[in-house]
Amino acid sequence: MSDASSSSSSICAVVTGHTRGFGAALAETLLARGISVLGLSRNRHATLASRGDAAFEQVELDLSSIEEIAQWLGGGQLPRFIGNSERVLLFNNAGTVQPIGPLEVQDPSAVAQSVVLNVAAPLMLSAALAAASTGAADRRIAHISSGAARNAYAGWSVYCATKAALDHHARSVALDSNRALRICSIAPGTLDTDMQAELRDSTDERFPMRGRFVEYKRTGKLATPHDAAVKMIDFVLSDAFGTTPTADLRELP
């Protein structure tokens, strides 16, 4: 995969859920490449903040609250961050696997929170970024999807449904035929993150596949967030990005 020719100084990236796991790895790798990063999360990334990097900004934002997202978007910080960047990236990474379990044990409020965080927030930010970056020659939106978007799993109905929504959003947006805007919903593979720990800490009754994820951890079959972030960013910056609306990081060359 070949990187486009524009310099990294003309690229900026928005990363949601940048304080831990895959989101933190994305933010750190982007900054290491000289790409400006705006992180959006409920908490701040203290380590990145302590570096005093002028290319890094972050906002404490509850992405499970439609009201907070709308209020922040109305404040104008997103277009100010984008400025005159020639290439603008959005990594919709923040998400939750909760609630885990069969339908009858799912807390309706937890279902609603998951739908907002996993679906509404990415779609709202995607629309806002597209509108705020019309002057950029190249805009790229990466939804962080999952194999659960393409396969149904017992006890994971909400997560499967919300990730499938991101896949279908990418498919639909791709039909808009806007050559300056590319989008892809990308499954990063099975990563060694806090989300995996949540699955292992569940029960077989709530998540029948729990044993498989315990085995992945025991046998070292979980990819590191850093390695996945490097491959993800290489793909998003490549000419291949956006040629198909969905992708699996494990299947890329």
Side-chain angles (χ1 to χ4, degrees), residues 9-87:
S9 61
S10 65
I11 307 175
C12 68
V14 179
V15 181
T16 67
H18 70 290
T19 58
R20 60 180 184 171
F22 189 49
L26 286 170
E28 291 162 3
T29 304
L30 288 162
L31 287 168
R33 297 189 184 194
I35 297 173
S36 298
V37 172
L38 171 62
L40 305 177
S41 184
R42 283 181 302 175
N43 305 304
R44 298 176 67 82
H45 193 308
T47 304
L48 286 180
S50 67
R51 295 179 185 176
D53 193 335
F56 176 63
E57 300 179 30
Q58 59 183 331
V59 174
E60 292 182 60
L61 182 63
D62 184 357
L63 293 167
S64 66
S65 168
I66 290 177
E67 293 76 15
E68 281 198 31
I69 299 168
Q71 182 178 18
W72 180 76
L73 289 174
Q77 186 171 350
L78 182 60
R80 285 196 297 272
F81 171 74
I82 292 171
N84 296 318
S85 298
E86 296 175 9
R87 177 178 289 182

Side-chain angles (χ1 to χ4, degrees), residues 75-148:
Q77 186 171 350
L78 182 60
R80 285 196 297 272
F81 171 74
I82 292 171
N84 296 318
S85 298
E86 296 175 9
R87 177 178 289 182
V88 181
L89 315 176
L90 170 60
F91 293 87
N92 283 312
N93 165 75
T96 180
V97 294
Q98 299 295 339
I100 300 172
L103 193 60
E104 62 270 18
V105 304
Q106 294 173 9
D107 178 2
S109 62
V111 173
Q113 188 174 46
S114 177
V115 171
V116 174
L117 178 58
N118 290 0
V119 183
L123 270 56
M124 291 172 73
L125 291 171
S126 295
L129 180 127
S133 60
T134 53
D138 189 351
R139 293 169 284 165
R140 304 188 178 204
I141 298 170
H143 292 327
I144 307 306
S145 184
S146 168

Side-chain angles (χ1 to χ4, degrees), residues 174 182-184 235 238-245:
R182 305 186 192 192
I183 189 169
C184 187
F235 176 55
S238 75
D239 293 337
F241 182 80
T243 55
T244 59

Side-chain angles (χ1 to χ4, degrees), residues 217-235:
K217 178 68 172 179
R218 188 188 69 81
T219 57
K221 292 182 179 179
L222 299 176
T224 69
H226 172 75
D227 289 348
V230 169
K231 192 169 185 179
M232 175 76 71
I233 293 167
D234 284 345
F235 176 55

